Amino acid sequence: MKVGFGCDHTAIELKKILMDHLKEKGYECVDYGAYDPNVKVNYPEPGLKVAEAIMRGEVEKGVLLCGTGIGISLAANKVPGIRAAVCSEPYSAMMTAKHNASQIIAMGARVVGNELAKMILDAFFNTEFEGGRHAERVQKICDIEAKYSRTE
């Protein structure tokens, strides 16, 4: 599986650690920035890059990191069809994959440590979407998005 990674300047070190973690497990990782901790990057930019890469089919899933994970996930969620979830522990990561068919996991480099971040990543990537009644609920989310995306 091909996974897109994006972060702001606060999360570059964690991004590298998590990319290495997934590479060891056989995933192909694509880095959409940031690259230099001394160059400030506004989190909406890498959030958008990863979300758009998923929409274009360049990558299947994404990992987004900023100070809290909140801002970067909000940016990604503005892209139609994207479901990005901020998780600070493995249970929520598993459940967003299982029940919400989220394509992106987001975390805060100032919130989770390296080992916890790896556990969150593993929970997300080791869980498949359950479908069934959850597919109906995801469709309702898509319907809300479509309702407010219409241009008339």
Side-chain angles (χ1 to χ4, degrees):
M1 176 185 297
K2 217 171 187 181
V3 180
F5 275 79
C7 68
D8 68 3
H9 56 282
T10 67
I12 291 171
E13 181 181 336
L14 181 58
K15 179 186 68 174
K16 290 177 184 176
I17 289 167
L18 295 180
M19 286 179 68
D20 288 345
H21 181 70
L22 283 187
K23 285 177 185 176
E24 288 173 10
K25 294 177 178 286
Y27 291 86
E28 182 180 346
C29 299
V30 181
D31 190 346
Y32 291 94
Y35 309 104
D36 183 345
N38 299 312
V39 177
K40 292 203 182 299
V41 171
N42 293 312
Y43 54 77
E45 296 165 11
L48 177 62
K49 285 180 184 178
V50 171
E52 288 180 332
I54 291 170
M55 294 306 296
R56 288 190 302 267
E58 293 173 13
V59 296
E60 293 173 59
K61 291 197 176 191
V63 177
L64 295 176
L65 307 160
C66 66
T68 63
I70 297 168
I72 201 163
S73 69
L74 290 173
N77 277 317
K78 295 299 180 184
V79 174
I82 291 296
R83 289 173 303 284
V86 182
C87 297
S88 298
E89 38 66 39
Y91 181 75
S92 295
M94 176 188 71
M95 294 308 288
T96 199
K98 188 174 185 175
H99 288 182
N100 307 127
S102 293
Q103 309 101 318
I104 296 175
I105 186 84
M107 290 180 264
R110 294 178 177 149
V111 178
V112 299
N114 297 343
E115 294 308 310
L116 179 56
K118 290 177 189 177
M119 291 168 57
I120 293 166
L121 212 60
D122 289 345
F124 182 73
F125 283 96
N126 292 335
T127 304
E128 292 188 23
F129 180 53
E130 195 172 84
R133 69 184 191 278
H134 304 294
E136 295 172 27
R137 294 169 183 162
V138 170
Q139 185 57 54
K140 289 182 182 294
I141 293 169
C142 294
D143 293 346
I144 293 167
E145 181 179 74
K147 176 181 177 181
Y148 290 96
S149 297
R150 292 188 185 126
T151 54
E152 296 179 19

